Amino acid sequence: MDLINAIILLLNYIFIPGLTYGSQLALGAIFVTLIYGILRFANFATGDMMSFGTMMTILFTWYFQSLGISLGVLPTALIALPFGIFFMILYMLTIDKFVFKYYRTQKSPPVQFAMVSIGVMFVTQAVVRIIIGPGDRRFFDGEKFIIKAREFKEMTGLNEGLALKSTQVITIFVTIILVSLLFWFLNKTKTGKSMKAYSDNEDLALLSGIDPKKIVLVTWVIAGILATIGGALYGLDKSFKPFTYFNNMLPIFAAAIVGGIGNPFGAFLGGYVIAFSEILLTYAYKKFFMYILPESMEPEGLVQLLSTDYKFAVSFSILVIVLLYRPSGIFKGKVL
């Protein structure tokens, strides 16, 4: 029984949270790698663009809630997501037209694009904070738990309870569907293949008759979908606070680089690598060892490698190690 309790403990505090957090990072990492692979610059506004899309989703969620519209046990935000995506795409296309397009026309170097994206980041931060404010905004409604820890204990007779939140299941389920559709689009459709060809060799793609304006448009549309859904899922699972999304930029970039910048599948897996690394290295294992070790060997301390305050230091360390020893990432070579 102690072994089962230990397994349930790990499921509850490491495995399920890791899958959920990893899914949210994976969507952001694919956003980064898509922009880098096709538009050829590191978009440092990624976190704040996710924040903007989430903000629009929240505003429409509140509007639908005020009208009494809901999905019952599911969060109303799922209805608001398409509207959030629409305004996120509109915002991205506006930024591209009035900012990035000029530098793309001038054939500016990637470093200049990156610096410009930092300016976009600060502008987006300001817009979000002016509209919705800097504080926490909770927009989750519906059934919070699919199963509660106390109910699980009563059903199984175990000491450890397994709590499964609806947001966790929604996050994992939506991520699998969205990423599957994205990979199908990139590998099976004519537009997706054109995007990969444009990324691989821009000059040759243009000679083949591929329309660069269409490629740019589709790239921003896909990026807008990823940013809004990834940001909204993160906000539903935890809460919405603009500055938190800015902080998430580091683990998102780390996930993209670990997986191999320009490789969507690598970015997807990189999200889980970063998420599980952060959780595994900051979790206190005292209770786990109390279940699996004899009483005489039970630890007195927390058995925690790092405090949770150093969670982002884990992402940074992994990022540095990968850049030093395998700068091409886990999956070498671009697939875009």
Side-chain angles (χ1 to χ4, degrees), residues 17 26 31 51 69 78 85 91 119 164 166-167 181 187 198 201 208 212 245 264 267 270 288 320:
F31 173 103
S51 177
I69 299 172
L78 295 179
I85 289 170
Y91 178 73
L164 187 61
S166 58
T167 53
L181 288 173
N187 292 298
Y198 183 85
N201 191 317
S208 302
Y245 287 77
F288 171 76
V320 171

Side-chain angles (χ1 to χ4, degrees), residues 202-260:
E202 182 179 348
D203 294 330
L204 185 60
L206 295 177
L207 289 173
S208 302
I210 293 174
D211 184 2
K213 293 181 180 179
K214 180 181 178 182
I215 298 300
V216 172
L217 174 64
V218 173
T219 300
W220 283 118
V221 167
I222 295 174
I225 294 171
L226 291 170
T228 307
I229 294 179
L233 291 175
Y234 184 88
L236 283 172
D237 187 48
K238 295 169 178 66
S239 70
F240 174 81
K241 190 173 184 179
F243 196 72
T244 302
Y245 287 77
F246 170 76
N247 288 338
N248 283 343
M249 186 174 67
L250 176 58
I252 286 171
F253 265 82
I257 293 172
V258 165

Side-chain angles (χ1 to χ4, degrees), residues 24-164:
Q24 294 153 2
L25 290 184
L27 295 179
I30 296 173
F31 173 103
V32 169
T33 209
L34 197 67
I35 297 298
Y36 183 87
I38 297 175
L39 302 183
R40 295 178 178 81
F41 73 94
N43 187 0
F44 287 102
T46 298
D48 293 287
M49 284 184 167
M50 293 175 75
S51 177
F52 183 91
T54 308
M55 177 195 70
M56 296 307 304
T57 303
I58 292 172
L59 295 177
F60 277 99
T61 299
W62 288 346
Y63 174 69
F64 288 132
Q65 288 173 344
S66 69
L67 297 177
I69 299 172
S70 71
L71 286 176
V73 297
L74 295 175
T76 307
L78 295 179
I79 305 176
L81 259 177
F83 298 92
I85 289 170
F86 173 79
F87 281 96
M88 179 74 260
I89 292 171
L90 188 63
Y91 178 73
M92 284 182 165
L93 293 178
T94 302
I95 292 294
D96 182 71
K97 181 177 180 179
F98 292 103
V99 181
F100 292 124
K101 184 179 178 180
Y102 170 80
Y103 295 95
R104 193 164 54 247
T105 304
Q106 298 297 317
K107 301 290 184 181
S108 299
V111 173
Q112 193 167 359
F113 267 104
M115 294 302 101
V116 170
S117 74
I118 292 177
V120 172
M121 175 188 75
F122 286 120
V123 170
T124 306
Q125 275 186 20
V127 170
V128 171
R129 294 185 186 195
I130 289 171
I131 294 175
I132 204 169
D136 283 325
R137 294 290 185 270
R138 296 190 178 274
F139 60 110
F140 178 81
D141 57 358
E143 192 66 36
K144 186 174 183 180
F145 289 96
I146 293 176
I147 184 169
K148 297 181 179 179
R150 182 180 297 177
E151 294 173 352
F152 186 85
K153 288 180 182 179
E154 292 174 353
M155 287 189 301
T156 60
L158 296 171
N159 293 331
E160 288 297 323
L162 180 65
L164 187 61

Side-chain angles (χ1 to χ4, degrees), residues 257-258 261 316-329:
I257 293 172
V258 165
I261 193 72
F316 182 75
S317 300
I318 294 173
L319 177 61
V320 171
I321 292 169
V322 170
L323 288 174
L324 286 174
Y325 294 101
R326 193 177 175 86
S328 59

Side-chain angles (χ1 to χ4, degrees), residues 4-20 144-166 168-169 172 283 287 291:
I4 297 175
N5 278 315
I7 293 172
I8 296 300
L9 185 71
L10 294 182
L11 283 174
N12 204 28
Y13 292 102
I14 294 179
F15 186 72
I16 295 175
L19 278 179
T20 307
K144 186 174 183 180
F145 289 96
I146 293 176
I147 184 169
K148 297 181 179 179
R150 182 180 297 177
E151 294 173 352
F152 186 85
K153 288 180 182 179
E154 292 174 353
M155 287 189 301
T156 60
L158 296 171
N159 293 331
E160 288 297 323
L162 180 65
L164 187 61
K165 295 193 294 183
S166 58
Q168 293 172 327
V169 175
I172 296 169
Y283 179 68
K287 200 171 184 181
Y291 279 124

